[in-house]
Amino acid sequence: MTPSNASRLAELDTLRALFVRAVRASFAYKPALLLSMLSAGFAYLIPMLVWRHIYAARQQAQPISAQALFPYLLIAGCLNFAFAMNVEARIGQRIRLGLIATDLLRPVDFQLAQLAQALSDGLFNLLLVLPILALAFAFWGPAALPHGGAALAAFALSVLLSFVILFAVSFIFVQASFVTYSGYGVFVARNALQQTFSGLSAPLVLFPPGLRAVSEWLPFRHTIHTPAAIYLGWLSGAAVLRALAEQALWAGGLLMLGRYLLKRALLRFEIQGG
Amino acid sequence: MERYKNVYFSAFKASLQAKLEYRVDMVVGIVTSMLMQGAALSFLLIVLRNTPTLGGWSGREVVFLFGMTAASLGGSEILFNQIWMLPQYIVAGDLDRLLTYPVRSLLFFLDTRPELHAFGNLLTGVVYIVGSLWTLHVPWYVWLGIPIWLACGTLIYTSALVVFGCLSFRFVGPFAQQLLIPLNLLQASRYPLSVYPGWLRKMLFFLIPYGTFHYLPGRVLFGKTAALWGLALAPAAALVLVFAAQAAWNVGLRQYDSTGS
């Protein structure tokens, strides 16, 4: 084994250790976990109840049926919950306290280390939403299940790419913390865009034309709408492959942009503390 | 007595001045909170594309509800935001210092951490309210009631936060997720309560009576009911919630253990 291979293996082992530690930390505060799930469940319930009222009132014909809409909203809510990563808060706090100096001195790639921690958040959250999906199956039956084995496989890949896209977007936004020394603003800004353009509260087909056109040009729709559409079989065949390719391009491009911005930010960054 | 009243204002003013030192943070906070309000409004746009009215309320009327909730949220975040820090104060034993001051501990605690992004919520809320009422051509006297209902909304929301926050005295830990429940219920009240199932409507009228400071007055103002009592319930609801918050705080303090050393 060459020295460079050995150091790469050591780095991978460090990333794995970071991942495991972050998962354990997530389980440490169980009451917080339960309250978090309760409040998130409530937040996702509100748009569903609004749509339920609209579909029950039947004031005008809708572009999609209720049988298609509600499983979509559930998948979208579960994905959004699973993607709740503390990237902005975690990095923002370390920048504010000056602790990022020690992070940057470590022999581990900073962006990859953050991705490993974010992945642990995601995996942990994904485990929490599985019972909700089981409950959805009890309510809606096969309508809540993936549209076949191929759809499930493509969905799994799409979810992974969605996660990387959202991480990369968060990583780009968090570069602003090098100027503001606060993670709150960047988190809220990213979250606002995510909520508006991802298709979290409604599939894009229900969007007004202007809002939909903007959504088509942004990466956020690939974080919720694309995986949910694959899961439910709204995309199939070549359309799935094209969607996955678009997601991969966004993920790669945004990760590289994040690395570039970090390099630029560090050139003029002053470490806090002392 | 007057001197003690000034203590609260002086403490608030000093905290606000300290926050205002961070200009970039203030601008970012204001812009991003307006973005969040815009994100919520985008959902309303989507909804209104698919239905002409929501629970019998037109788009402009629903924007009034959006404005009232945003402005009440902003008012609470400016004046009484420290409640979000209560869990950390309890864990670190930092309430000890506060309890030695010759002040009403709850009010003093609440008013010493204004949040600057609150100005974004307040501003957006006011714009929504003015835009909605202006285009709906409401009579002049309606405008007089708005500050009263907003003050009631701010007190109801803050009191609900305090009641839920006081759970931290019982379940000690550095987490504030329980406070998201009153926040999410406030966000839910942006839509006409008639769209919700009965259990949720009851929660929003009786458990945390958000419905009293904008939905019930709105029903009267926009001619959906002739029951004028809907205009007057908010102050009573705010008073009850303020008493409940103070009681929860007193009970919580009796359970409070300092960290020692």
Side-chain angles (χ1 to χ4, degrees):
Chain A
M1 187 182 292
T2 62
S4 70
N5 278 347
S7 74
R8 191 148 295 164
L9 277 177
E11 186 175 344
L12 275 177
D13 197 46
T14 308
L15 292 172
R16 183 197 58 78
L18 273 172
F19 176 84
V20 172
R21 195 203 60 180
V23 170
R24 283 188 185 145
S26 301
F27 275 107
Y29 295 107
K30 291 181 184 71
L33 193 63
L34 282 173
L35 288 166
S36 211
M37 284 184 71
L38 188 67
S39 63
F42 194 80
Y44 298 130
L45 184 65
I46 296 307
M48 288 182 105
L49 291 175
V50 171
W51 282 119
R52 176 179 161 269
H53 173 83
I54 293 168
Y55 274 73
R58 289 186 189 153
Q59 288 178 309
Q60 66 185 55
Q62 301 299 340
I64 59 170
S65 68
Q67 288 75 19
L69 176 68
F70 290 102
Y72 171 89
L73 291 175
L74 185 92
I75 300 292
C78 288
L79 284 175
N80 198 56
F81 184 82
F83 292 163
M85 52 184 105
N86 297 319
V87 175
E88 292 95 343
R90 196 157 40 219
I91 303 179
Q93 189 189 32
R94 298 191 77 76
I95 291 171
R96 191 165 52 81
L97 299 175
L99 296 170
I100 195 158
T102 45
D103 294 337
L104 293 169
L105 286 173
R106 287 180 184 145
V108 185
D109 183 274
F110 181 69
Q111 193 187 39
L112 287 181
Q114 293 302 323
L115 179 59
Q117 288 206 317
L119 272 171
S120 75
D121 292 343
L123 185 76
F124 173 73
N125 291 335
L126 203 59
L127 290 175
L128 296 181
V129 299
L130 287 178
I132 298 171
L133 282 176
L135 205 62
F137 177 64
F139 264 109
W140 291 310
L145 288 175
H147 196 73
L152 182 61
F155 170 72
L157 182 57
S158 178
V159 166
L160 187 64
L161 290 168
S162 305
F163 188 86
V164 176
I165 291 172
L166 197 57
F167 167 80
V169 169
S170 301
F171 194 81
I172 288 168
F173 269 73
V174 89
Q175 304 308 313
S177 298
F178 284 105
V179 179
T180 64
Y181 293 99
S182 162
Y184 177 81
V186 290
F187 165 71
V188 176
R190 194 269 297 160
N191 200 27
L193 294 173
Q194 164 78 0
Q195 282 193 21
T196 307
F197 299 111
S198 65
L200 173 62
S201 309
L204 299 191
V205 70
L206 294 175
F207 277 34
L211 202 60
R212 184 171 180 177
V214 178
S215 301
E216 301 280 358
W217 283 96
L218 293 173
F220 297 102
R221 77 190 159 97
H222 285 307
T223 62
I224 300 287
H225 189 270
T226 301
I230 291 173
Y231 182 94
L232 295 168
W234 297 357
L235 296 177
S236 57
V240 172
L241 294 177
R242 210 181 76 181
L244 290 173
E246 278 182 32
Q247 281 188 296
L249 280 175
W250 272 112
L254 290 169
L255 278 176
M256 282 196 285
L257 180 62
R259 292 183 90 82
Y260 171 75
L261 290 175
L262 176 66
K263 202 183 275 184
R264 298 282 303 175
L266 289 177
L267 288 178
R268 47 165 295 189
F269 177 55
E270 286 177 29
I271 297 289
Q272 297 273 77
Chain B
M1 195 62 196
E2 194 61 34
R3 193 156 57 96
Y4 284 121
K5 277 182 192 164
N6 284 338
V7 167
Y8 303 106
F9 180 68
S10 301
F12 171 74
K13 197 173 145 193
S15 311
L16 188 62
Q17 281 171 336
K19 283 272 181 180
L20 288 170
E21 286 292 311
Y22 300 92
R23 298 281 165 84
V24 177
D25 212 25
M26 180 179 77
V27 173
V28 170
I30 290 173
V31 170
T32 51
S33 59
M34 293 172 91
L35 269 175
M36 274 309 277
Q37 293 297 337
L41 195 68
S42 73
F43 178 58
L44 181 64
L45 285 179
I46 295 167
V47 163
L48 290 174
R49 183 176 176 255
N50 295 282
T51 182
T53 60
L54 190 57
W57 290 55
S58 69
R60 287 170 188 171
E61 291 166 350
V62 181
V63 169
F64 168 76
L65 299 180
F66 267 64
M68 292 294 284
T69 52
S72 300
L73 175 68
S76 176
E77 287 171 338
I78 291 173
L79 298 171
F80 310 115
N81 197 61
Q82 179 111 282
I83 191 66
W84 289 87
M85 298 295 123
L86 181 62
Q88 284 96 319
Y89 268 74
I90 293 170
V91 168
D94 285 341
L95 281 180
D96 298 10
R97 192 163 46 93
L98 170 73
L99 295 175
T100 61
Y101 296 166
V103 291
R104 283 187 176 275
S105 58
L106 176 59
L107 180 58
F108 192 84
F109 179 74
L110 290 177
D111 89 344
T112 43
R113 195 190 172 92
E115 272 305 332
L116 299 180
H117 66 254
F119 288 108
N121 286 327
L122 190 61
L123 186 64
T124 314
V126 169
V127 168
Y128 286 175
I129 294 167
V130 171
S132 162
L133 295 182
W134 190 268
T135 53
L136 287 166
H137 306 293
V138 297
W140 63 269
Y141 49 83
V142 168
W143 295 92
L144 300 178
I146 299 298
I148 297 168
W149 290 314
L150 276 182
C152 293
T154 299
L155 288 175
I156 291 170
Y157 171 57
T158 306
S159 303
L161 285 178
V162 171
V163 171
F164 277 80
C166 285
L167 291 173
S168 295
F169 286 110
R170 180 74 183 81
F171 305 101
V172 179
F175 48 85
Q177 276 88 346
Q178 70 273 28
L179 296 175
L180 293 175
I181 295 170
L183 174 64
N184 285 336
L185 282 168
L186 179 72
Q187 313 286 35
S189 75
R190 287 190 287 220
Y191 303 99
L193 304 195
S194 52
V195 307
Y196 294 131
W199 62 269
L200 185 51
R201 277 206 302 271
K202 281 179 192 137
M203 276 178 85
L204 292 169
F205 279 125
F206 300 112
L207 183 65
I208 307 180
Y210 293 137
T212 58
F213 83 88
H214 56 359
Y215 177 72
L216 288 180
R219 272 172 53 85
V220 178
L221 300 178
F222 304 139
K224 298 176 195 310
T225 177
L228 293 178
W229 53 264
L231 297 173
L233 275 185
L239 200 63
V240 170
L241 262 279
V242 167
F243 275 113
Q246 185 64 56
W249 179 258
N250 294 342
V251 170
L253 283 185
R254 280 200 285 277
Q255 297 190 343
Y256 172 63
D257 288 320
S258 177
T259 49
S261 71

